[in-house]
Amino acid sequence: MGNIWIIIKTLFELLNVEVVVPPLTSKKTLDLGTKISPESACLPLKINLGNYIEAAREGADTIAITGGFGPCRFGYYGELQRQILEDAGYSYDVVILEPPDGSMLGLLKRIRYLAGTQNSWGRIMKAIRFAYQKSVFIDRVEDLIHAARPRLENKQETELLYQRALNSLASTMSYRGLEEVIRSVQAEISERQAAQNYLTGSESAEPLRIGIVGEIYTILDPFSSADIEKQLGLLGVEVDRSIYLSSWVGKHVFLGLAQGYRSMDSYPKLAKPYLAHFVGGHGQETVGSTVKFIQKGFDGIIQLLPLTCMPEIVAAGILPRIQEDYNVPVMSLIVDEHTGRAGIQTRLEAFVDLLERSRCLKEKVSKETVPKETVPLGRMC
Amino acid sequence: VRIGFPRALYYFDFYPFWAGFFYSLDIEFVTSQPTHRGIMESGLKMADDETCLPVKLFVGHIGSLKNVDYIFLPRMVSVEEKTYLCPKLLGIPESILSAINRDIPIITVTINWREGQNRVLKALAAFGIELGKGEILIRNAFKEALKWQAFYEELRRSGKDFQESIDLCERSFAFLSGNISYKLLKSKKSKENQDPGDFRPRIALVGHAYLINEQYANLDLVNKLKNNVDLLLIEEAEAEVIENSLKGLRKKLFWSDSKKILGAGSSYVDDETVDGIIYLSCFGCGTDSMSQDILARRARKAHKPYMVITLDEHSGEAGLVTRIEAFLDMIFRRKDNENNFSAYGEYMDNY
């Protein structure tokens, strides 16, 4: 799931547990997973299975997966994946990180099992805290990059900067190192921004802003979303998303004690007029964050969901009403193992065109007092 | 007041409960017509593309409710401890508001048994204020509703089919004013008198109640099967049996429907007298994608004939009939050749 591997890797390395990081998710991973998955299961399950198979080839023998008690399907992934892998001939030990039948002791036992007997509880807590801190820093870097992508001219440099930052975050094992990474990213971005302003002699125009909401796995995992953030960045759009890794970690691993980089607490309240009850997964958060983004003045909203995702289908049924009430375009993009990048790209381009046009119209109306002139399509701006 | 209730989705599980509730409150409670072409088409047109067939039918049924003062769309979150219903039911009514014509006001109440009966009563009491009924009336209505539901479930377990049970339930409560004639509950289906030489396979049909009892959408699958086989339905399974056969799972399922399907389904897998299992699912069903897979694995290990039928809005009758015939042919052949073991002592389907 996107950059979560960095955090998990950090956590287990601090505990001296050997971690196998499977190759980044690719088409091949998905094919491997799809072959042994139930056909109508959702995309994340198929990708997970593909990852496990690739990890098994590199010697992994235990899977740690978080759990849940419904009603989203993810809560049952652990048990189903265990059965699938067993039948497919992989001897994996699956540890579901959740309090079984509500027993905290059961959860602690499972953590102890994963961590081995060498680690004291103090050390385990310390490792978890550091891993969490790292997730906050990853989110901060991502946020900086989201802002930099549409504003900096040299797109490739930005991507390189992002990769470099992630690599150094992955290898850093101290708080000071994390701070260091953020500082250098900030410095480089502002330096290049200044150089660019000097060359062009003006500040760059404010980019369009799009909020990405939806199912957590698809919005955090660049492979499943066909790199939607990067693609939008290349189209000159600044993106923000409803769920950040650290907020999820804070809410589910720390049981809400840690807020994460961006708190999700306000979402259910904002969603209330449209969806008064939680529906599992992040359905209510999707609705709430859509309202939040629109109130913050975003130009458009994109909802991402895997095919047949139950909570997000509920949300998708509600978003048209928000679109109507606030008059801000909302688009739902559905992804599955047959999704083609070109298809997504075309739809993104069309959506961005639509937003640009409506922004131009708005500006025109505010500038000219007599706008009664018909302008042929395409010459609007 | 006349309250309308769509004949779809949770109707097939909880109609007796709501019928009893409103009957006791002396409020007229009407349902839409059984699904027909018009309802299905309007549902398909109005509902969200991505959602499943039962929800689309639900939207169609809401559209077909005329001459009522309110439409009643409860939010059924959970009906027993530690489980949920499908997330799509949790999202009702909001998720379908944009799909329906809203001339008729909608009333709703949240039913959540997760936190016990008192919470349900509290929610119903608040709902009662909306209806203009006091708390004592609501309490009685709730008791009555539970009685109806229990009686209905008892009837189903005794082997009565869906429509028969609903009718009997309404008749014995509404017209005999609570004097339930327990004679209705005959003992378990006795095997019909038949030629001993005439083999009639025993087939179990598993799946959500709103697919199995939805005669129009499932192309009358139940009666088609009943003409040829002895049919077992999950509603006939005892709660104990369901609980017992779920023990092989390392983690408990958290959807009540899936629990029922998988529990009863697994008991059929272990039951020697059951010749085959048919799983009726619909396209895009999230809970089925998990429970169907687990059941299929169990059936495969036990070498039990197993077939999945996936319904969607394009299901054609000829295709369905062909598949049922093929499945039954396979079972007959299996019966005929039962003693023909391979020389290696293994089943052919291992390869």
Side-chain angles (χ1 to χ4, degrees), chain B residues 1-224:
Chain B
V1 236
R2 247 165 99 89
I3 290 182
F5 190 59
R7 189 188 288 261
L9 219 58
Y10 40 42
Y11 166 86
F12 295 105
D13 279 309
F14 309 114
Y15 172 73
F17 180 87
W18 293 117
F21 183 76
F22 286 106
Y23 174 76
S24 162
L25 290 176
D26 208 12
I27 292 174
E28 201 179 346
F29 188 61
V30 294
T31 50
S32 52
Q33 304 241 310
T35 313
H36 54 71
R37 198 187 165 111
I39 289 179
M40 182 137 156
E41 273 175 9
S42 81
L44 298 181
K45 211 183 284 171
M46 309 282 278
D48 189 46
D49 297 339
E50 292 313 316
T51 194
C52 55
L53 182 65
V55 173
K56 290 178 183 173
L57 289 173
F58 188 70
V59 170
H61 276 277
I62 295 172
S64 78
L65 276 169
K66 300 271 152 56
N67 301 326
V68 292
D69 301 310
Y70 298 99
I71 292 178
F72 178 56
L73 305 177
R75 188 199 305 281
M76 307 287 285
V77 175
S78 161
V79 288
E80 56 180 339
E81 259 175 59
K82 288 186 181 166
T83 65
Y84 284 104
L85 291 173
C86 166
K88 285 173 198 158
L89 297 187
L90 269 63
I92 288 173
E94 287 99 334
S95 63
I96 49 160
L97 285 184
S98 59
I100 55 177
N101 185 357
R102 294 164 70 194
D103 293 337
I104 306 172
I106 284 166
I107 49 175
T108 182
V109 59
T110 301
I111 297 299
N112 189 348
W113 280 94
R114 283 174 75 82
E115 284 140 27
Q117 182 172 323
N118 285 340
R119 279 294 292 273
V120 178
L121 260 174
K122 232 182 192 168
L124 285 175
F127 180 55
I129 295 170
E130 237 176 281
L131 295 170
K133 303 282 177 190
E135 206 176 324
I136 295 167
L137 281 175
I138 293 288
R139 245 168 219 284
N140 288 334
F142 178 66
K143 270 188 213 145
E144 180 85 1
L146 287 181
K147 255 195 268 169
W148 283 48
Q149 184 72 24
F151 184 56
Y152 162 77
E153 281 170 13
E154 195 59 43
L155 284 171
R156 288 311 302 270
R157 267 197 290 279
S158 75
K160 297 265 181 301
D161 75 7
F162 173 73
Q163 199 51 49
E164 207 181 343
S165 309
I166 295 263
D167 291 345
L168 279 175
C169 201
E170 280 185 333
R171 202 153 6 121
S172 43
F173 281 101
F175 299 117
L176 304 176
S177 50
N179 293 327
I180 312 162
S181 82
Y182 275 97
K183 265 179 264 161
L184 292 173
L185 301 173
K186 270 187 236 133
S187 57
K188 280 261 171 200
K189 246 196 292 194
S190 56
K191 274 219 163 188
E192 282 136 52
N193 303 344
Q194 51 172 288
D195 239 321
D198 189 16
F199 169 62
R200 223 174 129 82
R202 259 162 83 84
I203 302 285
L205 180 63
V206 303
H208 289 283
Y210 45 74
L211 289 173
I212 288 181
N213 301 314
E214 172 51 78
Q215 258 190 30
Y216 180 81
N218 71 22
L219 309 162
D220 208 9
L221 179 64
V222 173
N223 287 329
K224 279 198 176 85

Side-chain angles (χ1 to χ4, degrees), chain A residues 38 40 68-73 75-76 79-80 82-84 87 98 274-279 307-308 310 313-314 317-318 321 334, chain B residues 48 50-51 75 77 84-85 87-88 90-91 94-95 97-98 110 249-255 284 286-287 289-290 293-294 297 301:
Chain A
S40 55
F69 298 100
C72 166
R73 249 178 288 186
Y76 213 71
E79 171 63 13
L80 183 62
R82 183 186 68 79
Q83 295 192 10
I84 293 176
D87 286 353
E98 67 181 1
Y274 296 97
L275 180 59
H277 198 278
F278 102 108
V279 293
L307 185 76
T308 76
M310 300 179 281
I313 285 176
V314 172
I318 293 168
R321 285 173 57 219
I334 298 164
Chain B
D48 189 46
E50 292 313 316
T51 194
R75 188 199 305 281
V77 175
Y84 284 104
L85 291 173
K88 285 173 198 158
L90 269 63
E94 287 99 334
S95 63
L97 285 184
S98 59
T110 301
L249 292 172
R250 288 204 197 163
K251 178 174 174 175
K252 283 188 182 145
L253 273 166
F254 41 69
W255 300 293
T287 62
S289 72
M290 313 290 271
D293 196 63
I294 297 175
R297 277 167 208 286
K301 275 178 199 146

Side-chain angles (χ1 to χ4, degrees), chain B residues 213-267:
Chain B
N213 301 314
E214 172 51 78
Q215 258 190 30
Y216 180 81
N218 71 22
L219 309 162
D220 208 9
L221 179 64
V222 173
N223 287 329
K224 279 198 176 85
L225 283 171
K226 271 190 180 162
N227 289 339
N228 296 304
V229 304
D230 284 341
L231 195 64
L232 292 166
L233 294 173
I234 55 170
E235 278 88 357
E236 293 161 15
E238 304 283 344
E240 241 170 87
V241 176
I242 293 177
E243 209 52 53
N244 277 336
S245 51
L246 281 174
K247 281 193 177 137
L249 292 172
R250 288 204 197 163
K251 178 174 174 175
K252 283 188 182 145
L253 273 166
F254 41 69
W255 300 293
S256 15
D257 279 9
S258 298
K259 262 174 92 168
K260 221 158 97 185
I261 294 171
L262 189 57
S266 308
S267 74

Side-chain angles (χ1 to χ4, degrees), chain A residues 187-207:
Chain A
E188 189 165 344
I189 290 176
S190 51
E191 194 179 304
R192 286 178 40 211
Q193 178 86 54
Q196 192 176 307
N197 289 348
Y198 179 74
L199 282 176
T200 54
S202 67
E203 299 260 322
S204 43
E206 264 309 295

